[in-house]
Amino acid sequence: MRFDADVVIAGAGIGGLTAAASLLQAGYSVRVLEQAPALGEVGAGIQTSANASRVLHSLGLADQLERIGVKPQRYRVSLFNTNETLNEFRLAAAHEEQFGYPYYLFHRADLHDILARHVQQLDANCIALNARVSGFEQDADSATAILADGSTLRGKMLVGADGIKSAVREQLIGRAPATFTGDVAWRCTVPAERMRPDYMDQIVNIWAGPGAHLVVYYISGGKTINYIACCEEGEWSEESWTLKAPWSELKQKFTGWHDDVQELLDATDRDECYKWALNNRTPTDIWSDGRVTLLGDAIHPTLPYMAQGAAMAIEDAAVLRRCIDQNQDIATALRVYQNSRKSRTARIVTQSTQHGHLYHLSSAEEFHQAFKGRDLGADRASWLFSYDPLTAALEL
């Protein structure tokens, strides 16, 4: 039987490209099908802690990551109106010393570009553009991706890394029912040169307040400030990251917040504010069927409150490669992959939801009770940052 590749991947996002790079590095033939006419990534900042950065380093990308990434000195939670520190833990050298790999802040587009170029260096013909996967067929020997134009691509297996609106997922396990959380997220970037020189240290700063919180940090080597504002809102259904919304609406959400927050909002381009709904989906135990499986947001979309969405997709990619390496039978390999990932990702999906409520308490007293004396760093170190997807035990 003729195969177009050992592995066909639907989607050239960060998860799909990490999977492609990992599999190419291991000697597999790979084809990535991307629906867009050009490679690129929307969005702004992302965080990758040691559990994910160790995978990126294993691909030989350390030098490039060092050039584009920012290593925050600490993680800080601040009270919305007084700038009082509610809690903080060390990152930078402390994180790297404890877990072996850095905690990075990236512009999503910068990381995506590094991964795309790396995949193309490994195989110049790996990525196909204008190739939207609309479904699949499989038999005992192969999995075939069906494209929107009617063409097909056959592999020994198919990986759906096609995002939150995954066509592969919909056919595999059905459309994922979404429940609006009541929160929306705004994402914006501000050139650092617009801010006063001492505006903010290189930290991850979370401003927590009634009905909203704001996550602020540097990206692009410190040249840009990225922020995400999560606000409670009655109705909003669109999950797209590319819909613009009025700056005046965003500004009004933070009336009465600290002067540093106002300075950041006032420095924002009025026509470059993007807003999307935050929807929850219940974790599922079913990731795979036969020779088809899912990866990243296609299977475990995660609210941004623990900054682990991209990290989970990167982890998925590393574990998937190991499962294929260690199991000649594809169906067995994908079952092991599913069993090895479902509990961890479900825990992160659940805890991310809980963290959203923690940042939206109604009074200073409640925030003090929630954060004072709590070791947030230890909470995460014990199971989140210490996880090694390159060596973690696989579950049969």
Side-chain angles (χ1 to χ4, degrees):
M1 178 178 290
R2 177 184 171 274
F3 294 100
D4 296 291
D6 293 326
V7 183
V8 177
I9 299 174
I14 287 173
L17 291 175
T18 304
S22 298
L23 291 163
L24 288 168
Q25 184 185 64
Y28 299 97
S29 61
V30 181
R31 291 297 302 277
V32 178
L33 305 176
E34 169 55 42
Q35 65 177 342
L39 285 174
E41 183 62 282
V42 297
I46 60 172
Q47 304 178 45
T48 58
S49 42
N51 46 301
S53 61
R54 67 173 67 242
V55 176
L56 300 175
H57 278 225
S58 76
L59 297 175
L61 303 177
D63 290 343
Q64 297 178 68
L65 300 178
E66 291 290 318
R67 287 195 292 270
I68 67 165
V70 171
K71 296 179 180 179
Q73 296 299 312
R74 62 190 184 280
Y75 178 104
R76 178 177 185 250
V77 182
S78 307
L79 191 60
F80 74 104
N81 56 352
T82 65
N83 198 25
E84 174 190 356
T85 298
L86 295 169
N87 202 297
E88 64 180 1
F89 61 86
R90 293 187 301 159
L91 293 172
H95 187 87
E96 191 165 353
E97 180 179 344
Q98 185 173 1
F99 305 111
Y101 292 86
Y103 194 112
Y104 289 118
L105 308 174
F106 297 118
H107 194 297
R108 182 178 291 268
D110 292 341
L111 178 57
H112 186 271
D113 181 61
I114 284 176
L115 286 166
R117 286 189 284 108
H118 184 61
V119 168
Q120 290 170 322
Q121 289 169 359
L122 293 170
D123 180 353
N125 298 314
C126 180
I127 303 171
L129 301 174
N130 289 307
R132 182 172 69 85
V133 175
S134 59
F136 64 86
E137 295 176 345
Q138 65 172 319
D139 55 32
D141 302 307
S142 66
T144 300
I146 302 172
L147 278 63
D149 63 4
S151 60
T152 60
L153 203 71
R154 175 178 290 166
K156 296 178 182 178
M157 60 174 290
L158 170 65
V159 179
D162 46 345
I164 200 165
K165 298 179 180 180
S166 169
V168 178
R169 173 177 178 145
E170 184 169 345
Q171 181 176 340
L172 186 70
I173 59 175
R175 186 183 297 272
T179 302
F180 179 46
T181 62
D183 290 355
V184 299
W186 297 72
R187 60 175 178 83
C188 305
T189 57
V190 175
E193 62 187 14
R194 292 185 187 174
M195 311 301 292
R196 66 178 191 270
D198 63 345
Y199 175 73
M200 188 177 80
D201 294 335
Q202 287 198 353
I203 65 174
V204 177
N205 194 18
I206 298 183
W207 296 86
H213 75 279
L214 195 71
V215 184
V216 187
Y217 53 84
Y218 290 96
I219 56 174
S220 301
K223 298 178 182 178
T224 303
I225 294 177
N226 172 83
Y227 70 89
I228 296 177
C230 298
C231 309
E232 295 176 3
E233 187 158 321
E235 295 182 1
W236 184 262
S237 60
E238 181 56 57
E239 289 183 285
S240 171
W241 283 34
T242 58
L243 289 181
K244 292 185 178 182
W247 172 87
S248 58
E249 181 184 339
L250 172 63
K251 175 73 170 176
Q252 185 178 15
K253 295 284 187 183
F254 292 91
T255 300
W257 288 50
H258 192 267
D259 288 347
D260 284 357
V261 173
Q262 305 307 322
E263 182 178 347
L264 181 64
L265 297 175
D266 290 342
T268 303
D269 288 330
R270 303 300 194 261
D271 60 349
E272 291 296 325
C273 298
Y274 298 86
K275 171 185 172 185
W276 78 100
L278 296 177
N279 287 322
N280 251 343
R281 287 169 173 80
T282 302
T284 176
D285 288 342
I286 302 172
W287 291 41
S288 307
D289 178 49
R291 294 174 173 267
V292 181
T293 195
L294 300 166
L295 182 150
D297 281 351
I299 183 61
H300 49 70
T302 307
L303 296 177
Y305 302 138
M306 289 179 68
Q308 286 291 313
M312 289 302 99
I314 292 169
E315 286 186 9
D316 287 347
V319 174
L320 177 63
R321 190 196 84 173
R322 292 175 57 211
C323 292
I324 297 171
D325 280 345
Q326 297 180 27
N327 297 276
Q328 291 186 344
D329 179 70
I330 295 296
T332 300
L334 298 186
R335 186 178 66 250
V336 173
Y337 163 66
Q338 167 185 291
N339 292 343
S340 300
R341 294 298 295 157
K342 63 184 182 181
S343 295
R344 176 170 170 81
T345 55
R347 181 177 183 181
I348 289 168
V349 168
T350 300
Q351 290 204 7
S352 292
T353 300
Q354 295 169 350
H355 275 67
H357 301 305
L358 187 65
Y359 295 132
H360 291 189
L361 302 176
S362 53
S363 67
E365 181 180 3
E366 286 186 282
F367 280 116
H368 288 157
Q369 291 175 350
F371 286 102
K372 289 292 186 179
R374 178 176 177 179
D375 192 339
L376 290 179
D379 288 349
R380 300 185 183 190
S382 63
W383 67 279
L384 181 57
F385 300 149
S386 59
Y387 177 81
D388 184 351
L390 301 175
T391 62
L394 302 178
E395 299 183 28
L396 300 179

